[in-house]
Amino acid sequence: MSYSIFYWVHIVSYIAWLFALAASLFLASKVRAEKNDRRKQLYMKWERLATDTGAHLGAIGILISGAAMASLPVGPRWGWFNVQLYPWLALKQGFFILILVLVVLSMRRSSAFRKALKREREEKERTNDTIRKRWSSAYRMSLLVYLLVVINTFLGLVKPYLLG
């Protein structure tokens, strides 16, 4: 396949992740402002959906397109963790590995939130504190992932100018 196709998949994947960040921040503000518990839970659920979708699309798209671009014989020959020639890219790749680990942990926390939400609906039990704690835990993990994604995006934009 053409290098330019993978390049654009890479860019669009980052943009999807950044849109998920915007949606997550917007929905989290709705969660905090909402007084009705049912609507608050609905905003929590939508926030988790936006974050999970953005993280999956972003991570998979970046992983596949980045691996393809590093391996193709055309286009820039960045390679894998070539610290001496491209320290900015090695740093970005290291950050991305950390992001992938955190995405998996975030998915586990999202799953715990969804289970608590489902349990509350099935048992008709008032477990709003549990649901809020589970969502808050998953949301904080997502914010850490988003912060690293923004840092990684910044490194990609200023690459050779800062590190090499």
Side-chain angles (χ1 to χ4, degrees):
M1 287 195 112
S2 171
Y3 180 87
S4 62
I5 291 172
F6 287 114
Y7 174 82
W8 284 107
V9 168
H10 206 71
I11 298 300
V12 168
S13 298
Y14 262 120
I15 291 170
W17 221 330
L18 295 176
F19 272 122
L21 166 60
S24 178
L25 292 173
F26 172 75
L27 290 166
S29 72
K30 299 290 267 177
V31 167
R32 288 185 179 90
E34 186 60 53
K35 302 296 181 212
N36 180 292
D37 286 337
R38 290 292 169 204
R39 289 197 65 131
K40 187 178 286 243
Q41 288 177 5
L42 183 62
Y43 290 138
M44 289 176 187
K45 185 177 171 184
W46 287 348
E47 186 279 327
R48 289 288 82 207
L49 179 64
T51 292
D52 289 346
T53 303
H56 292 133
L57 291 175
I60 290 169
I62 290 167
L63 184 63
I64 291 170
S65 62
M69 288 189 303
S71 302
L72 284 174
V74 296
R77 299 298 309 142
W78 304 116
W80 293 95
F81 298 98
N82 197 342
V83 177
Q84 286 76 26
L85 289 177
Y86 308 110
W88 64 271
L89 184 59
L91 182 61
K92 277 181 60 59
Q93 290 170 339
F95 265 119
F96 190 66
I97 290 170
L98 177 60
I99 289 169
L100 290 177
V101 169
L102 292 175
V103 164
V104 170
L105 293 175
S106 180
M107 289 169 35
R108 293 181 70 196
R109 290 185 180 189
S110 288
S111 177
F113 163 73
R114 281 191 296 278
K115 286 178 186 175
L117 193 60
K118 183 178 178 184
R119 193 176 320 116
E120 189 266 342
R121 274 193 236 123
E122 288 174 351
E123 297 173 3
K124 302 290 186 225
E125 197 175 290
R126 303 303 285 172
T127 57
N128 288 328
D129 285 340
T130 302
I131 290 169
R132 204 170 298 120
K133 286 178 186 175
R134 298 278 187 198
W135 175 79
S136 184
S137 174
Y139 180 68
R140 282 191 312 271
M141 179 65 73
S142 297
L143 287 179
L144 178 58
V145 170
Y146 287 133
L147 175 65
L148 292 173
V149 168
V150 168
I151 290 170
N152 231 9
T153 302
F154 178 75
L155 286 171
L157 294 173
V158 298
K159 53 188 170 242
Y161 308 111
L162 287 182
L163 300 171

